Amino acid sequence: MTTDLTILHLNDTHSQFDEQAVKFTLPVLSRPIYIQCGGFSRVATVFKQIKEQASMSGTPVLCFHAGDCFQGSQYFSLYKGKANAVLWNAIGIDAMALGNHELDMGNRLVADFLDLIDFPVLAANWDLSHEDPNKANPLALKTNLLCYDSDKQCGQFLVHGKGKERIAVFGLTLENMAQVASPDPDTLFLPIVDVAEKTIAEIHRQGIQRIIVLSHLGYERDKWLALAVTDIDLIIGGHTHTFQGDFQSLGLGEKDQYALTVGSTVVVQSGCNALLLGQLSVTFDDDDVLQTLSANNQWLLGHQFSYAADGSDPLSDEDLQQALEYLLQQESVAFYEKDLVVEQLLDQQYRPALIQSQQRILTTVTEPLRHVRVPDNRGGSDVAPWVAESFLWCARHQGIPTDVAIHNAGGVRASLNAGKLSEADVSGKLLPFAIDIMTYRLAGKHLRLMLEGAINNAVDNGVEGTGTGSFPYVAGCRFSYRCCAEEGKRIQTLDIFIDDRWSAIEDDRIYGVVSSAYTVMGKEGYHEILQMESAPYDLNITMAEAFCEYVQHQIELTKPMESFVHYIPCEGCE
């Protein structure tokens, strides 16, 4: 068989433009090592090399991104979507699926991104037919957004190739986008199976049999979609950061085989953070069924090896030689140099501000501070309470009467090591989501039910939750939650610190509350927030900015003196 097509793909890159130190455990060495991996400059090199090789044989190459290029690093905090647009244009991709983090700050950022990129964004189940045409920079007229076509009652799609060799590509993204992100309310996300079937019917009507879906649904849902909808040849996925493939030889475990066949559909996903790149060489048989000729999900390695993540303990010459010889035998890794054009873009346009941020030291962390989402037998998060405290301090510092701060555990993305804490550590790692904080007024009874709803969602207690990230950490109040109490009464105690003492919350009293703009929308179990007394007030400061301002007034950060969150899982429910 001859190769009809080479496909390169990645997903969930989250503005991780620079290489990162990744821990590998190799059987030829006595202890784990760290290798610098990934980064946009290295991705650009792979794209360029494979395209050059393919052009010599006349093989088409398609390069795809399966969503979530926004958020996740200091680069996004500083530049929002602009840096992603410039860099992806320079690297050269053919299409990107819409991810949920693209919509963390509403539709406007996506619209601005579309104005800058020279490739399409695919979201066949995003219905813009009711969008307000008078809003600033509406999406409906963007020709490089291939969304739901309400006239044809199906999704828009790309077509690559000619004649019988044409391939249609369309995107699908989360149906529950309004629950996990912040899309404008005048744009809707439709059921994926219905949209997929109608889109495929239209593709077939145009005489095209070969179909690829760019999906931002998650690995398990991709496998489910492969069985639920026929005639999809390939699903290229994202959202769950799944490192698909066998990486046991690197000490990193195994998650199915890469390019898993489910029914008659091949399903792939390639980790996250621009650390790996999925590569497929495929052909189509006489019945237009995709046949995989070669498939590899590879770690993109550099040549910096060390026994310490910060590079301070390099390998001996003997150990380095053993590691190199071993790795060169592994199909799951490949060594690439950095592309000079992309490196120059980063150096000239984006890194200077990042370096300045890294040099701004805010405070000292006296001991390791652990972050967990749901409290375990070692207790709850050491970090999230400080974040909530910073929200409370910031609101009061602006002169707004505020009693309680709440932050969802998923908004905190890292533990803290002992040592100096820089501005870049906060906005690039700890609180990388560039989301504002807001104040509002809420009756005590709704505050009680909101806390219960958030925990019910986090631990799937009586509801099908959206993940552990909704678990609430607080400042200015304290509470206990009992797992097996009657619904509506699981918050067993709820006290607030007012007038220099703890007092029980009064159900009908109105309290000032501060939390993230994401939480304020009532998502992920926080629906009682929507009972607020009046519209929320935006403090016009992001979570990271609030935390940075607060910790600069602290001599040091240490473990909280006490826990204000008492989570009580009943016996047999842990």
Side-chain angles (χ1 to χ4, degrees):
M1 290 184 179
T2 59
T3 301
D4 284 357
L5 183 66
T6 295
I7 296 170
L8 307 178
H9 68 95
L10 68 177
N11 53 275
D12 299 277
T13 52
H14 288 297
S15 307
Q16 295 290 341
F17 302 157
D18 294 326
E19 63 184 3
Q20 300 175 57
V22 176
K23 182 179 178 181
F24 295 94
T25 302
L26 310 183
V28 296
L29 299 177
S30 60
R31 52 180 170 151
I33 63 170
Y34 291 84
I35 305 176
Q36 292 295 327
C37 296
F40 278 32
S41 300
R42 205 160 269 129
V43 169
T45 295
V46 187
F47 276 30
K48 185 176 295 184
Q49 287 186 8
I50 291 178
K51 286 178 179 179
E52 288 175 353
Q53 293 165 6
S55 66
M56 294 174 66
S57 62
T59 303
V61 179
L62 294 178
C63 304
F64 295 125
H65 190 303
D68 272 5
C69 75
F70 280 13
Q71 297 283 19
S73 83
Q74 175 77 351
Y75 285 113
F76 186 81
S77 300
L78 290 169
Y79 302 108
K80 302 302 182 285
K82 180 180 178 180
N84 269 290
V86 170
L87 290 166
W88 284 120
N89 283 344
I91 292 170
I93 57 175
D94 291 287
M96 185 184 96
L98 179 78
N100 53 294
H101 283 295
E102 271 74 75
L103 285 164
D104 278 345
M105 303 173 74
N107 291 11
R108 177 63 185 270
L109 232 57
V110 176
D112 293 344
F113 180 68
L114 287 162
D115 289 339
L116 296 172
I117 58 176
D118 53 21
F119 55 87
V121 171
L122 312 185
N125 61 318
W126 196 7
D127 184 0
L128 306 179
S129 61
H130 301 289
E131 184 183 37
D132 178 1
N134 297 314
K135 65 166 47 169
N137 206 7
L139 288 165
L141 298 179
K142 305 290 183 189
T143 57
N144 58 344
L145 175 61
L146 303 191
C147 55
Y148 185 73
D149 186 329
S150 58
D151 292 331
K152 294 184 177 179
Q153 298 289 294
C154 68
Q156 296 174 292
F157 51 90
L158 287 176
V159 178
H160 288 278
K162 297 179 180 179
K164 187 178 183 298
E165 296 182 353
R166 287 180 297 167
I167 298 171
V169 186
F170 66 93
L172 294 171
T173 193
L174 298 167
E175 298 164 299
N176 65 335
M177 189 69 80
Q179 283 71 56
V180 299
S182 302
D184 292 1
D186 57 352
T187 60
L188 306 175
F189 289 84
L190 305 178
I192 57 172
V193 169
D194 181 59
V195 170
E197 290 178 340
K198 290 177 179 176
T199 304
I200 291 169
E202 175 62 20
I203 291 168
H204 285 169
R205 191 189 68 78
Q206 295 188 23
I208 303 170
Q209 303 302 318
R210 304 172 180 185
I211 298 173
I212 296 173
V213 171
L214 290 192
S215 157
H216 197 79
L217 302 172
Y219 187 60
E220 296 303 321
R221 291 207 76 201
D222 285 345
K223 293 193 288 185
W224 168 82
L225 180 68
L227 297 175
V229 178
T230 58
D231 294 326
I232 300 174
D233 294 292
L234 173 64
I235 297 175
I236 298 172
H239 185 53
T240 46
H241 299 197
T242 303
F243 290 80
Q244 188 188 30
D246 184 354
F247 304 112
Q248 295 179 90
S249 63
L250 308 174
L252 298 175
E254 178 182 13
K255 178 65 175 180
D256 294 335
Q257 69 178 60
Y258 174 70
L260 180 70
T261 299
V262 180
S264 60
T265 302
V266 174
V267 176
V268 294
Q269 192 172 145
S270 190
C272 61
N273 296 338
L275 295 170
L276 300 89
L277 184 70
Q279 304 176 41
L280 295 166
S281 292
V282 301
T283 190
F284 291 86
D285 64 19
D286 292 338
D287 295 319
D288 285 313
V289 176
L290 182 143
Q291 306 291 320
T292 302
L293 300 178
S294 66
N296 211 345
N297 196 17
Q298 288 188 318
W299 290 85
L300 308 180
L301 304 188
H303 287 90
Q304 291 179 273
F305 291 53
S306 177
Y307 283 119
D310 62 3
S312 60
D313 185 11
L315 275 64
S316 67
D317 290 344
E318 182 180 353
D319 285 354
L320 178 59
Q321 186 62 32
Q322 284 187 308
L324 281 171
E325 289 177 357
Y326 178 80
L327 289 167
L328 287 169
Q329 298 173 28
Q330 309 306 311
E331 292 185 353
S332 56
V333 302
F335 290 90
Y336 291 98
E337 300 296 331
K338 297 177 183 178
D339 179 75
L340 295 179
V341 173
V342 173
E343 274 294 289
Q344 189 174 48
L345 273 173
L346 286 166
D347 282 340
Q348 293 181 352
Q349 297 188 32
Y350 305 116
R351 283 188 179 132
L354 191 72
I355 291 170
Q356 290 179 6
S357 179
Q358 291 167 343
Q359 293 171 343
R360 284 193 284 271
I361 302 301
L362 304 172
T363 190
T364 299
V365 182
T366 61
E367 57 189 312
L369 301 182
R370 184 181 73 123
H371 176 60
V372 291
R373 293 188 172 190
V374 179
D376 56 21
N377 56 10
R378 294 171 55 192
S381 173
D382 298 327
V383 182
W386 283 116
V387 176
E389 188 69 37
S390 74
F391 293 1
L392 188 60
W393 178 89
C394 189
R396 289 173 174 174
H397 195 64
Q398 290 195 19
I400 301 170
T402 312
D403 305 303
V404 177
I406 300 166
H407 190 44
N408 59 306
V412 177
R413 307 302 284 188
S415 299
L416 292 178
N417 295 321
K420 301 296 183 182
L421 183 70
S422 73
E423 183 181 280
D425 292 329
V426 175
S427 57
K429 299 175 184 177
L430 181 68
L431 298 166
F433 300 124
I435 296 172
D436 282 1
I437 58 174
M438 308 180 83
T439 61
Y440 47 96
R441 297 178 59 74
L442 194 66
K445 59 188 175 184
H446 297 305
L447 180 59
R448 184 189 308 275
L449 290 172
M450 177 189 67
L451 292 168
E452 177 178 322
I455 301 176
N456 289 343
N457 179 86
V459 299
D460 296 326
N461 191 4
V463 298
E464 184 179 345
T466 55
T468 55
S470 66
F471 195 94
Y473 285 91
V474 297
C477 74
R478 63 186 183 187
F479 67 87
S480 62
Y481 171 99
R482 182 171 292 278
C483 172
C484 290
E486 180 184 349
E487 185 177 358
K489 298 180 179 180
R490 290 173 183 156
I491 299 296
Q492 305 244 294
T493 61
L494 177 56
D495 301 324
I496 190 165
F497 195 75
I498 291 182
D499 299 327
D500 296 323
R501 62 187 179 89
W502 289 105
S503 304
I505 286 273
E506 300 174 33
D507 279 355
D508 294 325
R509 182 171 174 176
I510 306 301
Y511 297 93
V513 188
V514 59
S515 58
S516 73
Y518 177 82
T519 305
V520 168
M521 298 185 74
K523 303 172 186 298
E524 300 193 88
Y526 285 88
H527 45 271
E528 286 292 323
I529 281 184
L530 301 179
Q531 302 301 319
M532 66 182 72
E533 294 296 303
S534 58
Y537 175 75
D538 192 336
L539 298 181
N540 288 315
I541 186 170
T542 67
M543 300 186 298
E545 289 167 345
F547 189 76
C548 287
E549 284 196 14
Y550 171 71
V551 297
Q552 287 181 85
H553 291 79
Q554 309 303 309
I555 297 174
E556 56 189 26
L557 285 185
T558 186
K559 288 186 179 181
M561 295 295 291
E562 61 179 304
S563 174
F564 299 125
V565 175
H566 193 197
Y567 171 63
I568 313 169
C570 303
E571 187 176 350
C573 298
E574 297 186 51

